[in-house]
Amino acid sequence: MIANLLKHLPERLSEERFDTLVDAEHVTVERIVSRGHTSPAAGWYDQPRHEWVVVLKGRGMVAFEDGEEVTLGPGDHLGIPAHRRHRVTWTDPEEDTVWLAVHYD
Amino acid sequence: MIANLLKHLPERLSEERFDTLVDAEHVTVERIVSRGHTSPAAGWYDQPRHEWVVVLKGRGMVAFEDGEEVTLGPGDHLGIPAHRRHRVTWTDPEEDTVWLAVHYD
């Protein structure tokens, strides 16, 4: 278990890093660390659960299949209903972006 | 709905401020803003749901009935099982402390 969400970030990040903080029947909370990573170029995330996400540090962009695109910086949060297709199109390549995501049904 | 969890904090805080961000059947996510506030002096929080809490800004202390006391600063997080009796014994009086709390069953 990571002790602090903003400290001791991984030095190298060949892929996005996911750490699970809460894993219960109806809810999962995870920390995601990105550094220039985006979703795979092909396809969309189509999730069976609702997601609520907040950026704690850094900056990222989330695009939806319907054309909406949102840029999130520290403190910005976003609710993504189940099955609303989306992808991360950009994260800051110069610094770590730390996301906190709550998945729930 | 508040657009950013760290901006536009209330100027005056006679009491702690609670804003609900997610309100679903099995999970509630709320932002709490404290400025020197503590739990009521008498009694303990005894919650029917589990809680996971992280400090986004500022500093606060949580004490448990069993004697454990934890100080949390930005990025520090804590899981509080249902019915583990606890209270907030101190928050920084000089700046806003912003907590994010996930209550779940």
Side-chain angles (χ1 to χ4, degrees), chain A residues 3-18:
Chain A
N4 183 292
L5 303 188
L6 299 172
K7 295 177 187 167
H8 310 298
L9 298 173
E11 285 197 19
R12 292 166 177 275
L13 273 181
S14 56
E15 299 181 351
E16 282 189 310
R17 166 72 176 263
F18 293 79

Side-chain angles (χ1 to χ4, degrees), chain A residues 13-17 33-39 88-93:
Chain A
L13 273 181
S14 56
E15 299 181 351
E16 282 189 310
R17 166 72 176 263
V33 184
S34 321
R35 195 182 300 151
H37 301 93
T38 62
S39 305
V88 176
T89 49
W90 179 84
T91 59
D92 195 327

